[in-house]
Amino acid sequence: MRSAEGPPHKTFPVTVSREYPPAPLVAVAAVVVDGEGRILMVERGRPPSQGMWALPGGLLDLGEPVRAGVAREVLEETGAEIEIVDLVDLFEPIHRDAAGRIRYHYVVIDFWAHYRGGDVAAADDVDDVAWVSVAKLEDLPMEEETRQVVRKAHARWRQTTGREGAAPSCRSG
């Protein structure tokens, strides 16, 4: 990985427990938009959101710049190569157990990106991947915050591509 300061530096995967962590865990994710305006979504294969649809992403490695981390995570989970455009939002899922203890706590930095290529397929810790039209988001089980981030990024995509007034695609996918 290349840091903003100079040559590539070795990074280190975070090895702290994800369940009942000693501190919030920093993660990255991307709203990846293809040329038709569809969004690349993944079905999570592990807790805390196993079986839910989400944006591709994961934990930032120690020593890894945020943008490099999001590109790496999207590639690892889906095989997609992306061009990161901009920061979209911050998502902070906190899951508590029945006793009120914090079981999971992530701080997820969400970007939006253009799809640039690659053979898209489920890999790493996901069960499935799909290109989804914004109109079909309601059909998938996912966190409401994820839908909001997708809509926000998609609106920016429409604006930058000159499709500002266009309704989101109703194509299935």
Side-chain angles (χ1 to χ4, degrees), residues 45-113:
R46 297 182 190 159
S49 299
Q50 187 170 7
M52 300 281 283
W53 286 85
L55 299 172
L59 291 183
L60 192 64
D61 285 354
L62 183 64
E64 182 176 42
V66 173
R67 289 174 178 263
V70 74
R72 174 188 54 78
E73 281 290 341
V74 171
L75 183 64
E76 286 177 2
E77 289 191 347
T78 69
E81 297 169 13
I82 62 172
E83 177 188 333
I84 299 166
V85 179
D86 203 2
L87 179 69
V88 176
D89 214 335
L90 191 70
F91 176 43
E92 191 173 19
I94 301 171
H95 299 260
R96 295 180 183 271
D97 64 16
R101 294 178 302 158
I102 296 173
R103 186 171 179 188
Y104 298 100
H105 183 172
Y106 296 97
V107 176
V108 185
I109 304 166
D110 290 311
F111 289 87
W112 75 281

